Amino acid sequence: MEGLTVSPFKLVVFDLDGTLIETAPEISDAVNDTLASVGLPSVSIHDVQRWIGHGTFTLLVRAVASVTGRDVEEVRTAADLQAMTPLFDRNYAARCGTWSYPYPGARETLDVLRAQGVQMAVVTNKEARYTEAILAQHGLSAFFDFVVSGNTFPARKPDPTGVLHVMERLGVTPEQTLFVGDSSIDVATARNAGVGIYLFSHGYNLGQSVSAAGADRVLDNFDQLRSLFTSPATRHLQAVLWDVDGTVAETECEGHRIAFNQAFAERGLDWHWDVDRYGELLSVTGGRERMLFDMQIRADAPSDPIERDALAAQLHQRKNAIYAELVIAGAVPLRAGVLSMWQSCIRAGVRLGIVTTTSRSNVDALLRTHLGADWSRHFASIVCGEDVLKKKPDPEAYQLALQQLCLSPDSVVAVEDSPGGLSAAKAAGIATIVTPSIYFADDHSYVSAMATGPGFHVSHGWRLPGGVKLRLAEPTVYDLDCWLCASTELEIDCECEPPQAARAA
Ligand code: XBP
Ligand code: MG
């Protein structure tokens, strides 16, 4: 796996309105005070949210154009607008700090970043007199090494001057810098400066959907940002345990099934598992066990149990050899999003484990092919079929992994693809994410999963217990940590009353 060590961000640059502070209510009041004082009708807060982003002067221009039906560019240079500007100034100064508030968790996050030695700045298009007033009103000024406002430099966002200035003064490279904003203007600014960009979905984004703005990530709240900077020692999530077949890769249909059939044919047996029959047989975990189960209905299978066992063992050995050849030839890719989730975990100091009841040789073939000969160094625990007496859905494999990692079940998350895998992890007390594989996609028995989703490469289709839909970008390890914290809280709540999520169902 390449690129596993990434330097942490040394500088975080924040936008202000809609990112750090919810300012729309009082800006809206100040705009309406101004419009009323010249006999114009008021505008809605919804409109004001769409107009925030280019500075307060432009916002006032848009408001006047909207209520008078005049052209925006004409209003911008009109004499009545020039006369209204000092009025707005007075009104906004009076309203500043009345109905605005830092978003939940913002202050705690700034505290964590400061404690981690991360430098911070604000780069906003808001005029300096308002920026300074509002940061001071909410006691946030001291957090920032630099504050760049809309009138600090001749050009404002999306021009990168403000961000580049801060980076230069702090001696920080683009790779070490993260811009956190709420709009496509922030995305353009960050791209122009060559730095990473995360957007909050709680902001305004000129009235457009934030998911289409082209950010590197969409964050739903400050908890998600904070966990980026929280050291592994203080984080809830310590390890993610991965099932292999169906979860890490779709190994069954084009891998194991083909290999079984080839092993049967080589042995001169007229046995063939088609796609549907193999799906039925997957309820039996373990390839050898699966064949023994199927032999019960085969007239040409040996009747003597010892002979039957011996045949199953020989076929299984051959099947695994053929499977390895198929995998090495590239027949079985990793499921989309798995590799980047592994990288995300390793970067965050969250350990990885393999917990499967497939044969060790199969895991080795798959991961050697995709990660290289030294694949095992990325995994702190590797439990395979040979290591346990009872295969999944028995929890033994998960219990063994917890022992090897010296972790309690509440600090790990399992990733599974099937009802049997989910049962195994849950029986070991482990919160489980299910990304159903093709064979188990129609199964609806995942109600006890911590989260269910189509795969780690997609942002849509993720659900929490009770069918609650999640709104996020593609999940990362920080989301897993948040889900784990939330699921622990839900379980505590469960003892007295059903959680909100379950009631909503
Ligand atoms: C995996 C299995 C295995 C594979 C084949 O279950 O059930 O039997 O199908 O591998 P899980 P073997 O994903 O829950 O680990 O032939 O080596 O058993
Ligand atoms: Mg599986």
Side-chain angles (χ1 to χ4, degrees), residues 277-391:
R277 176 66 182 149
Y278 193 68
E280 289 163 17
L281 289 169
L282 279 178
S283 59
V284 181
T285 314
R288 207 178 51 81
E289 294 81 349
R290 195 167 297 146
M291 281 185 286
L292 286 170
F293 176 83
D294 190 56
M295 282 185 207
Q296 292 170 21
I297 57 153
R298 301 256 176 214
D300 54 345
S303 52
D304 174 46
I306 296 176
E307 270 181 51
R308 208 178 260 207
D309 270 355
L311 176 62
Q314 287 161 15
L315 285 170
H316 192 230
Q317 200 179 18
R318 182 63 192 134
K319 182 280 288 184
N320 281 352
I322 299 167
Y323 173 83
E325 283 166 21
L326 287 170
V327 166
I328 291 163
V332 184
L334 295 184
R335 279 184 68 176
V338 167
L339 185 59
S340 53
M341 180 56 86
W342 286 348
Q343 290 169 327
S344 162
C345 287
I346 290 169
R347 279 200 291 264
V350 170
R351 288 185 287 168
L352 296 174
I354 293 288
V355 181
T356 173
T357 42
T358 198
S359 312
R360 188 170 297 272
S361 65
N362 298 337
V363 181
D364 182 60
L366 184 74
L367 297 187
R368 178 181 291 271
T369 303
H370 295 291
L371 304 182
D374 61 348
W375 67 270
S376 61
R377 74 188 168 98
H378 300 300
F379 297 89
S381 166
I382 301 167
V383 175
C384 299
E386 292 86 341
D387 303 323
V388 291
L389 291 173
K390 292 188 188 148
K391 296 193 172 172

Side-chain angles (χ1 to χ4, degrees), residues 168-185:
E168 196 206 311
R169 294 291 301 275
L170 294 175
V172 173
T173 66
E175 294 73 33
Q176 295 167 332
T177 305
L178 175 68
F179 198 110
V180 178
D182 73 317
S183 77
S184 52
I185 299 174

Side-chain angles (χ1 to χ4, degrees), residues 243-247 252 392 416-418 440:
D243 169 52
V244 176
D245 293 293
T247 303
E252 297 293 3
K392 297 177 191 175
E416 280 284 354
D417 71 301
S418 67
F440 298 106

